[in-house]
Amino acid sequence: MKLGLVVDLDVCVGCHACAVSCKQWNTSGMSGALTDYNPYGEDPSGVWFNRVRSYEVGDYPQNKTINFPMSCMHCEQADCVDVCPTGASYKRVEDGIVLIDQDKCMGCNYCSWACPYGARELDRSTGTMKKCTLCLDRIYDERLEEVDRQPSCVITCPAHARHFGDFDDPDSNVSQLVRERGGYQLMPELGYSPTNRYLPPRVTRLIPTEDVSKKSLISSVKEWVNKMVER
Amino acid sequence: MHPAFSVIGFTVASGAGYGLFILLVLAEVYGFADIDVPVALSAGLLALVLISGGLLSSTLHLANPKQAWRAFFRFKTSWLSREGVFALVFYPLALLYLIGVYVNDAQANGLVAFVGLSAVVIALATVFSTGMIYGCLKTIRQWNTALTPTNYIVLALATGSVLLVLILAFAGKDSKTMAGIAIALLALGAMTKAIYYFWIRTVIGPTINTATGFTQGKVRLLDTGHTAGTFLTREFSYQAQHSLLTQLRIVVFALGFVLPIALLAFMILAWSSGWVALVGVFAMFAGITAERWLFFAEARHVVNLYHGAQHT
């Protein structure tokens, strides 16, 4: 098996629900607490497995906002595992999930240097590295309904921008999505062969803006009144 | 990369220590310096102090040092583990050699020479591993070059040779041959460093386009998704001012290479005094510390692409 995620950049709305739900599930999961530093202060910070960034692609008017969620890619050629001196970082043979043994990690940060995707974050309170577990404690939990045996981020996503499955199975949902939509890997030139794939935005028509007529006097007054009236 | 002083101190001190030990053994076995028991023991002890101090300082940056003992068990894949193992194997060999020199009245022959040269090989392997810890990272193009381990080895030998000149000069021995070797090694170090600085000017590797997969147009960061810093920004986003980098490169060459070479030449030609060598040692360590600081400060991790950098 080669388990991983497909992220659909066409429909991601950048709501950060995946990141929040990931944090909620995993803070009481197998990697222990995802510590927050200064949570109610001026600069709240902390450990997250999932981060969403937003980019502008192209120049106006051919531009587009792309919301870009990133978590561990569970690379096939995982350098983070090879460089780990203690053996705390490992890749499971049976399903390809990359994990960190919290009891072995000495917190040297070296694996985070080897990761090009910023998937690993050090928890200062435990002194150990933490990362996405692909919700190992959900996807194999037989007490859950079959439909719930998916990573927390996938179940939560309100836009269905995230899909979980086995990339070794050519008929799985993720393999089909990658085939049909041209799913791609990030930074393939580095040779990490990340398992997770990203689906590019669909090609759509531009929404014309030149033919929008000027506002009439009456519509302007209406708009102003609407703004002034308290609801 | 964030220049952590514990790692800078470690690589500079332990590199000089290994270099000093290597040159001590070579000078004694092949007889290109007049080394008696006090010189051998003081040089050997200084080397061990520098190496041990460096190793201890390197554990300071561990967030969970109680698991550090596990670091010796991934020799097969991890350069960090290899460095640890080599560093550990070095100690008994080095101590045996120093005992042998003491017992044998500074005559390094037979078994003593064999143990000493074995320690030299292990010391070189340790310094090479230190370089490869950085050199093997595909995520940092400024490090992922054969010049990284080359620089580590050459600078370790150069700093060690100047320390040996210092000890010889204070012991009142003839230090001219050693000073000549030190000049050659410092010049070699200056050259490899110049090649390195020239090399990393060329931008290669991933860009924000390949990082996001949008290779057809301009990609700009709109929002990082967090208001305060994260582990990633603290660890990888360090960026020094360009003028500071340029000034420090001048410091590297002026203090690290030119001034020590001039002082060593002065020692050969005019006045072979330990105090001249001491000034050279201080200048050299200031320069090499600046070199190591720059090595980290100039390295740009590819994760910066996701935080808006167009290239690394």
Side-chain angles (χ1 to χ4, degrees), chain A residues 7-15 64 67 157-163 181 199-202:
Chain A
V7 178
D8 189 344
L9 297 176
D10 191 51
V11 293
C12 177
V13 294
C15 67
K64 188 171 171 62
N67 302 299
C157 181
H160 294 291
R162 304 178 74 95
H163 306 271
R181 299 271 311 278
L199 305 181
R202 294 180 176 89

mmCIF file with all atom_site columns, all heavy atoms in Angstrom, chain A residues 7-15 64 67 157-163 181 199-202:
data_model
loop_
_atom_site.group_PDB
_atom_site.id
_atom_site.type_symbol
_atom_site.label_atom_id
_atom_site.label_alt_id
_atom_site.label_comp_id
_atom_site.label_asym_id
_atom_site.label_entity_id
_atom_site.label_seq_id
_atom_site.pdbx_PDB_ins_code
_atom_site.Cartn_x
_atom_site.Cartn_y
_atom_site.Cartn_z
_atom_site.occupancy
_atom_site.B_iso_or_equiv
_atom_site.pdbx_formal_charge
_atom_site.auth_seq_id
_atom_site.auth_comp_id
_atom_site.auth_asym_id
_atom_site.auth_atom_id
_atom_site.pdbx_PDB_model_num
ATOM 1   N N   . VAL A 1 7   ? -4.794  16.759 -3.004  1.00 0.00 ? 7   VAL A N   1
ATOM 2   C CA  . VAL A 1 7   ? -5.355  18.063 -2.671  1.00 0.00 ? 7   VAL A CA  1
ATOM 3   C C   . VAL A 1 7   ? -5.803  18.740 -3.957  1.00 0.00 ? 7   VAL A C   1
ATOM 4   O O   . VAL A 1 7   ? -5.001  18.896 -4.889  1.00 0.00 ? 7   VAL A O   1
ATOM 5   C CB  . VAL A 1 7   ? -4.326  18.942 -1.917  1.00 0.00 ? 7   VAL A CB  1
ATOM 6   C CG1 . VAL A 1 7   ? -4.908  20.305 -1.633  1.00 0.00 ? 7   VAL A CG1 1
ATOM 7   C CG2 . VAL A 1 7   ? -3.888  18.273 -0.629  1.00 0.00 ? 7   VAL A CG2 1
ATOM 8   N N   . ASP A 1 8   ? -7.056  19.115 -3.991  1.00 0.00 ? 8   ASP A N   1
ATOM 9   C CA  . ASP A 1 8   ? -7.641  19.723 -5.189  1.00 0.00 ? 8   ASP A CA  1
ATOM 10  C C   . ASP A 1 8   ? -7.540  21.249 -5.079  1.00 0.00 ? 8   ASP A C   1
ATOM 11  O O   . ASP A 1 8   ? -8.295  21.883 -4.347  1.00 0.00 ? 8   ASP A O   1
ATOM 12  C CB  . ASP A 1 8   ? -9.113  19.285 -5.300  1.00 0.00 ? 8   ASP A CB  1
ATOM 13  C CG  . ASP A 1 8   ? -9.712  19.704 -6.635  1.00 0.00 ? 8   ASP A CG  1
ATOM 14  O OD1 . ASP A 1 8   ? -9.115  20.559 -7.316  1.00 0.00 ? 8   ASP A OD1 1
ATOM 15  O OD2 . ASP A 1 8   ? -10.783 19.173 -6.968  1.00 0.00 ? 8   ASP A OD2 1
ATOM 16  N N   . LEU A 1 9   ? -6.575  21.826 -5.817  1.00 0.00 ? 9   LEU A N   1
ATOM 17  C CA  . LEU A 1 9   ? -6.367  23.280 -5.733  1.00 0.00 ? 9   LEU A CA  1
ATOM 18  C C   . LEU A 1 9   ? -7.474  24.049 -6.434  1.00 0.00 ? 9   LEU A C   1
ATOM 19  O O   . LEU A 1 9   ? -7.579  25.270 -6.290  1.00 0.00 ? 9   LEU A O   1
ATOM 20  C CB  . LEU A 1 9   ? -5.006  23.645 -6.329  1.00 0.00 ? 9   LEU A CB  1
ATOM 21  C CG  . LEU A 1 9   ? -3.800  23.051 -5.610  1.00 0.00 ? 9   LEU A CG  1
ATOM 22  C CD1 . LEU A 1 9   ? -2.523  23.406 -6.340  1.00 0.00 ? 9   LEU A CD1 1
ATOM 23  C CD2 . LEU A 1 9   ? -3.735  23.523 -4.174  1.00 0.00 ? 9   LEU A CD2 1
ATOM 24  N N   . ASP A 1 10  ? -8.307  23.341 -7.211  1.00 0.00 ? 10  ASP A N   1
ATOM 25  C CA  . ASP A 1 10  ? -9.396  24.027 -7.902  1.00 0.00 ? 10  ASP A CA  1
ATOM 26  C C   . ASP A 1 10  ? -10.487 24.442 -6.927  1.00 0.00 ? 10  ASP A C   1
ATOM 27  O O   . ASP A 1 10  ? -11.094 25.489 -7.090  1.00 0.00 ? 10  ASP A O   1
ATOM 28  C CB  . ASP A 1 10  ? -9.985  23.098 -8.967  1.00 0.00 ? 10  ASP A CB  1
ATOM 29  C CG  . ASP A 1 10  ? -10.943 23.838 -9.892  1.00 0.00 ? 10  ASP A CG  1
ATOM 30  O OD1 . ASP A 1 10  ? -10.528 24.896 -10.403 1.00 0.00 ? 10  ASP A OD1 1
ATOM 31  O OD2 . ASP A 1 10  ? -12.081 23.379 -10.072 1.00 0.00 ? 10  ASP A OD2 1
ATOM 32  N N   . VAL A 1 11  ? -10.710 23.636 -5.916  1.00 0.00 ? 11  VAL A N   1
ATOM 33  C CA  . VAL A 1 11  ? -11.852 23.908 -5.036  1.00 0.00 ? 11  VAL A CA  1
ATOM 34  C C   . VAL A 1 11  ? -11.454 24.347 -3.639  1.00 0.00 ? 11  VAL A C   1
ATOM 35  O O   . VAL A 1 11  ? -12.313 24.755 -2.865  1.00 0.00 ? 11  VAL A O   1
ATOM 36  C CB  . VAL A 1 11  ? -12.795 22.686 -4.953  1.00 0.00 ? 11  VAL A CB  1
ATOM 37  C CG1 . VAL A 1 11  ? -13.452 22.440 -6.279  1.00 0.00 ? 11  VAL A CG1 1
ATOM 38  C CG2 . VAL A 1 11  ? -12.067 21.462 -4.463  1.00 0.00 ? 11  VAL A CG2 1
ATOM 39  N N   . CYS A 1 12  ? -10.184 24.268 -3.294  1.00 0.00 ? 12  CYS A N   1
ATOM 40  C CA  . CYS A 1 12  ? -9.796  24.701 -1.941  1.00 0.00 ? 12  CYS A CA  1
ATOM 41  C C   . CYS A 1 12  ? -10.125 26.179 -1.775  1.00 0.00 ? 12  CYS A C   1
ATOM 42  O O   . CYS A 1 12  ? -9.718  27.014 -2.584  1.00 0.00 ? 12  CYS A O   1
ATOM 43  C CB  . CYS A 1 12  ? -8.312  24.486 -1.698  1.00 0.00 ? 12  CYS A CB  1
ATOM 44  S SG  . CYS A 1 12  ? -7.768  25.087 -0.085  1.00 0.00 ? 12  CYS A SG  1
ATOM 45  N N   . VAL A 1 13  ? -10.874 26.489 -0.705  1.00 0.00 ? 13  VAL A N   1
ATOM 46  C CA  . VAL A 1 13  ? -11.270 27.877 -0.477  1.00 0.00 ? 13  VAL A CA  1
ATOM 47  C C   . VAL A 1 13  ? -10.384 28.555 0.569   1.00 0.00 ? 13  VAL A C   1
ATOM 48  O O   . VAL A 1 13  ? -10.582 29.712 0.891   1.00 0.00 ? 13  VAL A O   1
ATOM 49  C CB  . VAL A 1 13  ? -12.748 27.978 -0.042  1.00 0.00 ? 13  VAL A CB  1
ATOM 50  C CG1 . VAL A 1 13  ? -13.650 27.550 -1.177  1.00 0.00 ? 13  VAL A CG1 1
ATOM 51  C CG2 . VAL A 1 13  ? -13.006 27.142 1.204   1.00 0.00 ? 13  VAL A CG2 1
ATOM 52  N N   . GLY A 1 14  ? -9.447  27.823 1.106   1.00 0.00 ? 14  GLY A N   1
ATOM 53  C CA  . GLY A 1 14  ? -8.515  28.432 2.071   1.00 0.00 ? 14  GLY A CA  1
ATOM 54  C C   . GLY A 1 14  ? -9.143  28.743 3.406   1.00 0.00 ? 14  GLY A C   1
ATOM 55  O O   . GLY A 1 14  ? -8.815  29.748 4.031   1.00 0.00 ? 14  GLY A O   1
ATOM 56  N N   . CYS A 1 15  ? -10.026 27.870 3.884   1.00 0.00 ? 15  CYS A N   1
ATOM 57  C CA  . CYS A 1 15  ? -10.728 28.155 5.145   1.00 0.00 ? 15  CYS A CA  1
ATOM 58  C C   . CYS A 1 15  ? -9.951  27.686 6.367   1.00 0.00 ? 15  CYS A C   1
ATOM 59  O O   . CYS A 1 15  ? -10.336 27.974 7.487   1.00 0.00 ? 15  CYS A O   1
ATOM 60  C CB  . CYS A 1 15  ? -12.111 27.514 5.136   1.00 0.00 ? 15  CYS A CB  1
ATOM 61  S SG  . CYS A 1 15  ? -12.071 25.716 5.161   1.00 0.00 ? 15  CYS A SG  1
ATOM 62  N N   . LYS A 1 64  ? -5.033  34.499 -10.514 1.00 0.00 ? 64  LYS A N   1
ATOM 63  C CA  . LYS A 1 64  ? -5.928  33.643 -9.750  1.00 0.00 ? 64  LYS A CA  1
ATOM 64  C C   . LYS A 1 64  ? -5.345  33.463 -8.359  1.00 0.00 ? 64  LYS A C   1
ATOM 65  O O   . LYS A 1 64  ? -4.125  33.356 -8.194  1.00 0.00 ? 64  LYS A O   1
ATOM 66  C CB  . LYS A 1 64  ? -6.052  32.285 -10.447 1.00 0.00 ? 64  LYS A CB  1
ATOM 67  C CG  . LYS A 1 64  ? -7.099  31.368 -9.873  1.00 0.00 ? 64  LYS A CG  1
ATOM 68  C CD  . LYS A 1 64  ? -7.288  30.157 -10.765 1.00 0.00 ? 64  LYS A CD  1
ATOM 69  C CE  . LYS A 1 64  ? -8.166  29.102 -10.109 1.00 0.00 ? 64  LYS A CE  1
ATOM 70  N NZ  . LYS A 1 64  ? -9.521  29.564 -9.818  1.00 0.00 ? 64  LYS A NZ  1
ATOM 71  N N   . ASN A 1 67  ? -5.227  28.739 -2.959  1.00 0.00 ? 67  ASN A N   1
ATOM 72  C CA  . ASN A 1 67  ? -4.992  28.367 -1.568  1.00 0.00 ? 67  ASN A CA  1
ATOM 73  C C   . ASN A 1 67  ? -4.283  27.029 -1.550  1.00 0.00 ? 67  ASN A C   1
ATOM 74  O O   . ASN A 1 67  ? -4.661  26.115 -2.277  1.00 0.00 ? 67  ASN A O   1
ATOM 75  C CB  . ASN A 1 67  ? -6.309  28.292 -0.810  1.00 0.00 ? 67  ASN A CB  1
ATOM 76  C CG  . ASN A 1 67  ? -7.025  29.618 -0.875  1.00 0.00 ? 67  ASN A CG  1
ATOM 77  O OD1 . ASN A 1 67  ? -6.516  30.622 -0.405  1.00 0.00 ? 67  ASN A OD1 1
ATOM 78  N ND2 . ASN A 1 67  ? -8.193  29.643 -1.506  1.00 0.00 ? 67  ASN A ND2 1
ATOM 79  N N   . CYS A 1 157 ? -12.906 18.729 5.441   1.00 0.00 ? 157 CYS A N   1
ATOM 80  C CA  . CYS A 1 157 ? -12.889 19.713 4.355   1.00 0.00 ? 157 CYS A CA  1
ATOM 81  C C   . CYS A 1 157 ? -14.287 19.959 3.786   1.00 0.00 ? 157 CYS A C   1
ATOM 82  O O   . CYS A 1 157 ? -14.905 19.056 3.208   1.00 0.00 ? 157 CYS A O   1
ATOM 83  C CB  . CYS A 1 157 ? -11.960 19.256 3.235   1.00 0.00 ? 157 CYS A CB  1
ATOM 84  S SG  . CYS A 1 157 ? -11.893 20.465 1.898   1.00 0.00 ? 157 CYS A SG  1
ATOM 85  N N   . PRO A 1 158 ? -14.817 21.186 3.935   1.00 0.00 ? 158 PRO A N   1
ATOM 86  C CA  . PRO A 1 158 ? -16.182 21.469 3.468   1.00 0.00 ? 158 PRO A CA  1
ATOM 87  C C   . PRO A 1 158 ? -16.267 21.567 1.944   1.00 0.00 ? 158 PRO A C   1
ATOM 88  O O   . PRO A 1 158 ? -17.352 21.491 1.386   1.00 0.00 ? 158 PRO A O   1
ATOM 89  C CB  . PRO A 1 158 ? -16.507 22.813 4.123   1.00 0.00 ? 158 PRO A CB  1
ATOM 90  C CG  . PRO A 1 158 ? -15.192 23.462 4.309   1.00 0.00 ? 158 PRO A CG  1
ATOM 91  C CD  . PRO A 1 158 ? -14.193 22.364 4.556   1.00 0.00 ? 158 PRO A CD  1
ATOM 92  N N   . ALA A 1 159 ? -15.123 21.730 1.279   1.00 0.00 ? 159 ALA A N   1
ATOM 93  C CA  . ALA A 1 159 ? -15.151 21.886 -0.181  1.00 0.00 ? 159 ALA A CA  1
ATOM 94  C C   . ALA A 1 159 ? -14.798 20.585 -0.894  1.00 0.00 ? 159 ALA A C   1
ATOM 95  O O   . ALA A 1 159 ? -14.716 20.553 -2.115  1.00 0.00 ? 159 ALA A O   1
ATOM 96  C CB  . ALA A 1 159 ? -14.169 22.989 -0.592  1.00 0.00 ? 159 ALA A CB  1
ATOM 97  N N   . HIS A 1 160 ? -14.562 19.524 -0.126  1.00 0.00 ? 160 HIS A N   1
ATOM 98  C CA  . HIS A 1 160 ? -14.112 18.247 -0.697  1.00 0.00 ? 160 HIS A CA  1
ATOM 99  C C   . HIS A 1 160 ? -12.843 18.445 -1.526  1.00 0.00 ? 160 HIS A C   1
ATOM 100 O O   . HIS A 1 160 ? -12.710 17.907 -2.611  1.00 0.00 ? 160 HIS A O   1
ATOM 101 C CB  . HIS A 1 160 ? -15.202 17.592 -1.544  1.00 0.00 ? 160 HIS A CB  1
ATOM 102 C CG  . HIS A 1 160 ? -16.382 17.178 -0.749  1.00 0.00 ? 160 HIS A CG  1
ATOM 103 N ND1 . HIS A 1 160 ? -16.341 16.153 0.164   1.00 0.00 ? 160 HIS A ND1 1
ATOM 104 C CD2 . HIS A 1 160 ? -17.639 17.674 -0.690  1.00 0.00 ? 160 HIS A CD2 1
ATOM 105 C CE1 . HIS A 1 160 ? -17.521 16.028 0.726   1.00 0.00 ? 160 HIS A CE1 1
ATOM 106 N NE2 . HIS A 1 160 ? -18.335 16.948 0.246   1.00 0.00 ? 160 HIS A NE2 1
ATOM 107 N N   . ALA A 1 161 ? -11.935 19.229 -0.982  1.00 0.00 ? 161 ALA A N   1
ATOM 108 C CA  . ALA A 1 161 ? -10.688 19.464 -1.696  1.00 0.00 ? 161 ALA A CA  1
ATOM 109 C C   . ALA A 1 161 ? -9.638  18.435 -1.321  1.00 0.00 ? 161 ALA A C   1
ATOM 110 O O   . ALA A 1 161 ? -8.551  18.444 -1.880  1.00 0.00 ? 161 ALA A O   1
ATOM 111 C CB  . ALA A 1 161 ? -10.170 20.874 -1.386  1.00 0.00 ? 161 ALA A CB  1
ATOM 112 N N   . ARG A 1 162 ? -9.929  17.580 -0.382  1.00 0.00 ? 162 ARG A N   1
ATOM 113 C CA  . ARG A 1 162 ? -8.918  16.619 0.074   1.00 0.00 ? 162 ARG A CA  1
ATOM 114 C C   . ARG A 1 162 ? -9.447  15.200 -0.090  1.00 0.00 ? 162 ARG A C   1
ATOM 115 O O   . ARG A 1 162 ? -10.600 14.911 0.215   1.00 0.00 ? 162 ARG A O   1
ATOM 116 C CB  . ARG A 1 162 ? -8.542  16.879 1.525   1.00 0.00 ? 162 ARG A CB  1
ATOM 117 C CG  . ARG A 1 162 ? -8.050  18.281 1.780   1.00 0.00 ? 162 ARG A CG  1
ATOM 118 C CD  . ARG A 1 162 ? -7.749  18.495 3.242   1.00 0.00 ? 162 ARG A CD  1
ATOM 119 N NE  . ARG A 1 162 ? -6.530  17.835 3.651   1.00 0.00 ? 162 ARG A NE  1
ATOM 120 C CZ  . ARG A 1 162 ? -5.348  18.437 3.706   1.00 0.00 ? 162 ARG A CZ  1
ATOM 121 N NH1 . ARG A 1 162 ? -5.227  19.700 3.386   1.00 0.00 ? 162 ARG A NH1 1
ATOM 122 N NH2 . ARG A 1 162 ? -4.277  17.775 4.081   1.00 0.00 ? 162 ARG A NH2 1
ATOM 123 N N   . HIS A 1 163 ? -8.591  14.333 -0.587  1.00 0.00 ? 163 HIS A N   1
ATOM 124 C CA  . HIS A 1 163 ? -8.976  12.939 -0.816  1.00 0.00 ? 163 HIS A CA  1
ATOM 125 C C   . HIS A 1 163 ? -7.871  12.050 -0.281  1.00 0.00 ? 163 HIS A C   1
ATOM 126 O O   . HIS A 1 163 ? -6.685  12.371 -0.395  1.00 0.00 ? 163 HIS A O   1
ATOM 127 C CB  . HIS A 1 163 ? -9.183  12.675 -2.302  1.00 0.00 ? 163 HIS A CB  1
ATOM 128 C CG  . HIS A 1 163 ? -10.154 13.625 -2.935  1.00 0.00 ? 163 HIS A CG  1
ATOM 129 N ND1 . HIS A 1 163 ? -11.514 13.392 -2.984  1.00 0.00 ? 163 HIS A ND1 1
ATOM 130 C CD2 . HIS A 1 163 ? -9.966  14.843 -3.507  1.00 0.00 ? 163 HIS A CD2 1
ATOM 131 C CE1 . HIS A 1 163 ? -12.108 14.416 -3.584  1.00 0.00 ? 163 HIS A CE1 1
ATOM 132 N NE2 . HIS A 1 163 ? -11.193 15.309 -3.905  1.00 0.00 ? 163 HIS A NE2 1
ATOM 133 N N   . ARG A 1 181 ? -7.253  14.281 -13.642 1.00 0.00 ? 181 ARG A N   1
ATOM 134 C CA  . ARG A 1 181 ? -7.060  15.726 -13.493 1.00 0.00 ? 181 ARG A CA  1
ATOM 135 C C   . ARG A 1 181 ? -5.598  16.138 -13.625 1.00 0.00 ? 181 ARG A C   1
ATOM 136 O O   . ARG A 1 181 ? -5.269  17.324 -13.443 1.00 0.00 ? 181 ARG A O   1
ATOM 137 C CB  . ARG A 1 181 ? -7.579  16.174 -12.120 1.00 0.00 ? 181 ARG A CB  1
ATOM 138 C CG  . ARG A 1 181 ? -9.071  15.934 -11.877 1.00 0.00 ? 181 ARG A CG  1
ATOM 139 C CD  . ARG A 1 181 ? -9.931  17.107 -12.333 1.00 0.00 ? 181 ARG A CD  1
ATOM 140 N NE  . ARG A 1 181 ? -9.428  18.384 -11.839 1.00 0.00 ? 181 ARG A NE  1
ATOM 141 C CZ  . ARG A 1 181 ? -9.671  18.864 -10.627 1.00 0.00 ? 181 ARG A CZ  1
ATOM 142 N NH1 . ARG A 1 181 ? -10.407 18.182 -9.790  1.00 0.00 ? 181 ARG A NH1 1
ATOM 143 N NH2 . ARG A 1 181 ? -9.186  20.027 -10.260 1.00 0.00 ? 181 ARG A NH2 1
ATOM 144 N N   . LEU A 1 199 ? -3.987  18.602 -7.455  1.00 0.00 ? 199 LEU A N   1
ATOM 145 C CA  . LEU A 1 199 ? -4.742  18.724 -8.696  1.00 0.00 ? 199 LEU A CA  1
ATOM 146 C C   . LEU A 1 199 ? -4.776  20.189 -9.099  1.00 0.00 ? 199 LEU A C   1
ATOM 147 O O   . LEU A 1 199 ? -5.167  21.049 -8.310  1.00 0.00 ? 199 LEU A O   1
ATOM 148 C CB  . LEU A 1 199 ? -6.179  18.218 -8.501  1.00 0.00 ? 199 LEU A CB  1
ATOM 149 C CG  . LEU A 1 199 ? -6.316  16.796 -7.959  1.00 0.00 ? 199 LEU A CG  1
ATOM 150 C CD1 . LEU A 1 199 ? -7.795  16.421 -7.852  1.00 0.00 ? 199 LEU A CD1 1
ATOM 151 C CD2 . LEU A 1 199 ? -5.585  15.793 -8.840  1.00 0.00 ? 199 LEU A CD2 1
ATOM 152 N N   . PRO A 1 200 ? -4.338  20.507 -10.318 1.00 0.00 ? 200 PRO A N   1
ATOM 153 C CA  . PRO A 1 200 ? -4.301  21.914 -10.738 1.00 0.00 ? 200 PRO A CA  1
ATOM 154 C C   . PRO A 1 200 ? -5.714  22.461 -10.917 1.00 0.00 ? 200 PRO A C   1
ATOM 155 O O   . PRO A 1 200 ? -6.648  21.697 -11.147 1.00 0.00 ? 200 PRO A O   1
ATOM 156 C CB  . PRO A 1 200 ? -3.569  21.853 -12.073 1.00 0.00 ? 200 PRO A CB  1
ATOM 157 C CG  . PRO A 1 200 ? -3.777  20.468 -12.568 1.00 0.00 ? 200 PRO A CG  1
ATOM 158 C CD  . PRO A 1 200 ? -3.886  19.595 -11.366 1.00 0.00 ? 200 PRO A CD  1
ATOM 159 N N   . PRO A 1 201 ? -5.879  23.779 -10.826 1.00 0.00 ? 201 PRO A N   1
ATOM 160 C CA  . PRO A 1 201 ? -7.195  24.379 -11.061 1.00 0.00 ? 201 PRO A CA  1
ATOM 161 C C   . PRO A 1 201 ? -7.659  24.069 -12.478 1.00 0.00 ? 201 PRO A C   1
ATOM 162 O O   . PRO A 1 201 ? -6.855  24.010 -13.401 1.00 0.00 ? 201 PRO A O   1
ATOM 163 C CB  . PRO A 1 201 ? -6.959  25.879 -10.882 1.00 0.00 ? 201 PRO A CB  1
ATOM 164 C CG  . PRO A 1 201 ? -5.661  26.000 -10.205 1.00 0.00 ? 201 PRO A CG  1
ATOM 165 C CD  . PRO A 1 201 ? -4.855  24.789 -10.535 1.00 0.00 ? 201 PRO A CD  1
ATOM 166 N N   . ARG A 1 202 ? -8.982  23.887 -12.634 1.00 0.00 ? 202 ARG A N   1
ATOM 167 C CA  . ARG A 1 202 ? -9.516  23.651 -13.975 1.00 0.00 ? 202 ARG A CA  1
ATOM 168 C C   . ARG A 1 202 ? -9.378  24.933 -14.795 1.00 0.00 ? 202 ARG A C   1
ATOM 169 O O   . ARG A 1 202 ? -9.415  26.041 -14.249 1.00 0.00 ? 202 ARG A O   1
ATOM 170 C CB  . ARG A 1 202 ? -10.990 23.257 -13.899 1.00 0.00 ? 202 ARG A CB  1
ATOM 171 C CG  . ARG A 1 202 ? -11.220 21.912 -13.225 1.00 0.00 ? 202 ARG A CG  1
ATOM 172 C CD  . ARG A 1 202 ? -12.697 21.594 -13.194 1.00 0.00 ? 202 ARG A CD  1
ATOM 173 N NE  . ARG A 1 202 ? -12.950 20.266 -12.647 1.00 0.00 ? 202 ARG A NE  1
ATOM 174 C CZ  . ARG A 1 202 ? -13.126 20.016 -11.353 1.00 0.00 ? 202 ARG A CZ  1
ATOM 175 N NH1 . ARG A 1 202 ? -13.052 20.995 -10.475 1.00 0.00 ? 202 ARG A NH1 1
ATOM 176 N NH2 . ARG A 1 202 ? -13.359 18.779 -10.944 1.00 0.00 ? 202 ARG A NH2 1
#
